[in-house]
Amino acid sequence: MLEIDDLTVDYGSVRALDHVTLRAPLGSITTVLGANGAGKTTLLRAVSGLARPASGSISFAGHRIDRRRVEDIAGLGIAHLPSGQGVIVELTVAENLRLGSLISPKPPAGRKEDLDQVYDMFPVLSQRRRDVAASLSGGERQLLAIGTALMSRPRLILLDEPSLGLAPRAVAHIMAVLRRIHEDSGRTVLLVEQNARSALSIADRVVVLNLGRVVIDEDASALAADPRSMQRLRHAYLGF
Ligand code: ATP
């Protein structure tokens, strides 16, 4: 379980997160939605240790992590995929995946098995294992970034807008992949999205941020089925 309590993060005089409290239960997909500048990226950065809170706390699997170093947090099994990053374009697909295993707590013997699992899940990466990542399409790069994260055997995956800039078919594929990762391995996923429709289609829980504050925190299917909640979601995005 990821537990965030009363978390406030400032960038100088800008308050990016304002007393945020939320829970991402073990094995759930929680999506964090909100307009530009709502604080979504900052929330992920605070969990992975890249942004330091002014106050509040973050705990994962019983460990307090908000004052720990980035590498220690990664070592607890938290993988962070920042938006549009996570792949080294000069390296081949196989080299990128091998890099992902470097922070795995598993001994090297387990890495071949992990690699086979990633290739099994993403056949296109297996076909293109010797190609440099620069030659992949946007959707394939995103799959490689997710595959690389999986090589570190994360217990919690933080994904920042994996659908950004992708064609609708690629977005649908990424969402199906996330659902499968979650169903196959019970990994906990915290997914930041602008694309509310696709995120809602796979999420168990929805948190909506507006100007750094939590304005909705609900079960995803209940929210999608309730016109008043959907109205509140639109309001949080568009302000009317
Ligand atoms: P977007 O979808 O546009 O990335 P977001 O919901 O992810 O938005 P954040 O990037 O977390 O929002 O930004 C939250 C607030 O903090 C915004 O007002 C933003 O301008 C500000 N902010 C973010 N990063 C910095 C920074 N490095 N320095 C100063 N202000 C920042």
Side-chain angles (χ1 to χ4, degrees):
M1 163 95 94
L2 175 71
E3 296 170 278
I4 298 177
D5 282 294
D6 215 17
L7 186 73
T8 293
V9 177
D10 297 326
Y11 297 105
S13 60
V14 176
R15 176 141 295 184
L17 292 177
D18 194 1
H19 298 283
V20 165
T21 294
L22 68 89
R23 300 281 179 270
L26 210 63
S28 68
I29 300 185
T30 300
T31 188
V32 180
L33 306 174
N36 284 331
K40 307 180 298 296
T41 295
T42 303
L43 182 70
L44 297 193
R45 287 171 54 82
V47 174
S48 65
L50 293 169
R52 289 291 163 202
S55 60
S57 67
I58 308 173
S59 300
F60 176 64
H63 301 273
R64 181 92 188 253
I65 59 172
D66 50 271
R67 302 279 159 198
R68 294 178 78 161
R69 292 183 311 167
V70 173
E71 52 272 39
D72 295 341
I73 295 172
L76 284 173
I78 299 181
H80 182 183
L81 272 81
S83 186
Q85 296 174 37
V87 161
I88 300 177
V89 291
E90 294 85 358
L91 299 183
T92 66
V93 167
E95 287 165 344
N96 269 285
L97 291 172
R98 276 204 294 276
L99 274 184
S101 69
L102 289 181
I103 60 162
S104 165
K106 258 228 128 195
R111 290 186 188 154
K112 167 85 174 67
E113 183 192 313
D114 292 345
L115 195 59
D116 289 344
Q117 273 175 13
V118 169
Y119 284 147
D120 181 51
M121 187 175 287
F122 309 125
V124 67
L125 298 184
S126 176
Q127 288 152 19
R128 307 209 47 192
R129 61 178 83 185
R130 289 182 195 82
D131 296 341
V132 286
S135 70
L136 302 180
S137 70
E140 289 164 349
R141 274 190 213 185
Q142 194 58 59
L143 292 179
L144 178 57
I146 294 170
T148 302
L150 289 177
M151 290 295 291
S152 70
R153 300 200 154 210
R155 292 192 283 169
L156 168 65
I157 308 180
L158 311 171
L159 284 140
D160 198 347
E161 300 208 41
S163 71
L164 194 70
L166 299 185
R169 250 179 63 186
V171 174
H173 186 201
I174 296 288
M175 293 300 149
V177 157
L178 293 179
R179 191 77 220 172
R180 185 172 160 205
I181 288 170
H182 163 74
E183 282 167 1
D184 285 1
S185 61
R187 288 190 164 96
T188 308
V189 176
L190 192 59
L191 168 68
V192 156
E193 267 298 339
Q194 283 268 352
N195 190 334
R197 198 176 294 276
S198 42
L200 278 175
S201 71
I202 63 159
D204 301 304
R205 196 133 195 107
V206 185
V207 172
V208 180
L209 292 178
N210 189 19
L211 298 175
R213 295 199 180 147
V214 175
V215 290
I216 295 177
D217 182 354
E218 277 184 39
D219 181 84
S221 46
L223 182 134
D226 177 1
R228 274 179 313 177
S229 294
M230 290 304 283
Q231 180 60 35
R232 279 196 294 136
L233 180 64
R234 275 189 284 276
H235 179 81
Y237 261 84
L238 304 171
F240 63 83

